[in-house]
Amino acid sequence: MNENKKYIQKCRDLLCSLIGMKREEENVTLTLKVSNVRVCGKSIAELETLLNRNCKVVCILQNDCTIMRMATADIRINAGDQLLVQVCQQDENAIQALVGERL
């Protein structure tokens, strides 16, 4: 698990420049564990559309794996998956409420 935390930190260090969001101090990086049934079975692209917020799912640690990987639009989300999400600070609570527990 410690290796995953190191990987998450590396991802956080590169997020703003990679996805072109606002300045880092206006963003929040969340690690969320998927628990909402409305999210389960949706693709990353569908989730980002459903959220209808300025956010980007950057990485995913799927419940049945130990390897975190970059999130692509076609990956399906399942209960227990962990998502690394870059969001605007004002959207933090809304996104957490929709996806699930913050880790």
Side-chain angles (χ1 to χ4, degrees):
M1 193 63 153
N2 194 22
E3 289 300 314
N4 285 333
K5 288 182 181 181
K6 289 178 184 177
Y7 185 75
I8 288 171
Q9 186 59 47
K10 287 180 181 179
C11 290
R12 287 178 179 164
D13 293 342
L14 298 172
L15 285 176
C16 286
S17 62
L18 291 175
I19 62 176
M21 292 182 74
K22 296 178 183 177
R23 293 183 328 217
E24 191 167 345
E25 61 267 14
E26 296 176 5
N27 293 328
V28 177
T29 303
L30 305 175
T31 303
L32 302 171
K33 186 171 184 178
V34 177
S35 60
N36 185 343
V37 294
R38 288 183 54 205
V39 173
C40 297
K42 296 205 178 303
S43 68
I44 297 288
E46 291 170 325
L47 174 64
E48 290 175 349
T49 300
L50 178 66
L51 291 172
N52 195 25
R53 307 279 178 163
N54 186 12
C55 76
K56 178 71 176 163
V57 179
V58 180
C59 296
I60 183 168
L61 175 63
Q62 296 197 292
N63 196 31
D64 58 353
C65 298
T66 57
I67 299 171
M68 182 167 281
R69 59 186 173 151
M70 297 304 286
T72 58
D74 60 334
I75 294 176
R76 295 280 169 192
I77 301 167
N78 300 300
D81 288 353
Q82 295 178 28
L83 306 177
L84 182 67
V85 183
Q86 182 79 20
V87 301
C88 287
Q89 198 169 22
Q90 67 266 21
D91 295 333
E92 177 179 359
N93 292 333
I95 291 171
Q96 182 180 345
L98 180 63
V99 175
E101 168 190 8
R102 186 174 183 172
L103 301 176

